[in-house]
Amino acid sequence: MTAFNFEQAFSRNIGWITTDEQAKLRSKKIAIAGLGGVGGSHLLTLTRLGIGEFHIADFDKFELANFNRQAGATISHLDQPKTDIMAAMALDINPELHIQKFPDGVTSSNLADFFSGVDLYVDSLDFFAFEAREMVFAYCAEHKIPAVTAAPLDGGRAA
């Protein structure tokens, strides 16, 4: 078995980012709320970019209806918590990752812990989670945490 080597694993990032930028990314912590079709892909992509630490939140489990769009949705993952599966998939890419899981999702009672030490928030909440989105964006604004939403709208619902 080949031992993990961070520099080799992410060496092909160099060229579109510099070695110094790669080192900076390794020291960054990103929070992702929602690990479905959007958040799961964001987590795995950012892991492959070399981000070193994540806080991930989702209260849901994988189900058959997720198969058309969610990275962690497989037969072997049915009825398992999205935080557990997606953390395991990310750790399979980079076993040096630090991941803190929030299996109850983002709530008013864990908001401070979820955002503790975070450099960036990636919003991947379900489109209709208006209250949760309002709560997390207000927290980010108040604490000067950069936040981004990058989601396909209506990518998974049948009309």
Side-chain angles (χ1 to χ4, degrees), residues 136-158:
V136 296
F137 274 92
Y139 189 95
C140 287
E142 181 180 339
H143 294 87
K144 297 183 180 10
I145 299 169
V148 63
T149 299
L153 299 180
D154 201 33
R157 306 250 186 238

Side-chain angles (χ1 to χ4, degrees), residues 50-131:
I51 300 298
E53 189 167 355
F54 292 95
H55 284 183
I56 57 173
D58 200 309
F59 57 81
D60 206 0
K61 295 180 179 183
F62 283 111
E63 56 188 46
L64 280 171
N66 303 142
F67 276 39
N68 71 320
R69 69 196 179 284
Q70 297 188 16
T74 65
I75 291 293
S76 63
H77 296 157
L78 280 174
D79 297 319
Q80 294 185 49
K82 291 181 180 181
T83 52
D84 290 348
I85 296 304
M86 296 311 301
M89 290 176 73
L91 286 163
D92 264 352
I93 296 165
N94 179 358
E96 295 178 355
L97 274 180
H98 299 277
I99 299 179
Q100 184 172 351
K101 298 181 285 187
F102 292 79
D104 295 325
V106 178
T107 66
S108 58
S109 62
N110 70 13
L111 202 57
D113 288 338
F114 181 69
F115 285 113
S116 177
V118 164
D119 297 296
L120 174 71
Y121 169 62
V122 176
D123 175 45
S124 302
L125 293 167
D126 186 271
F127 180 76
F128 297 103
F130 300 122
E131 284 183 36

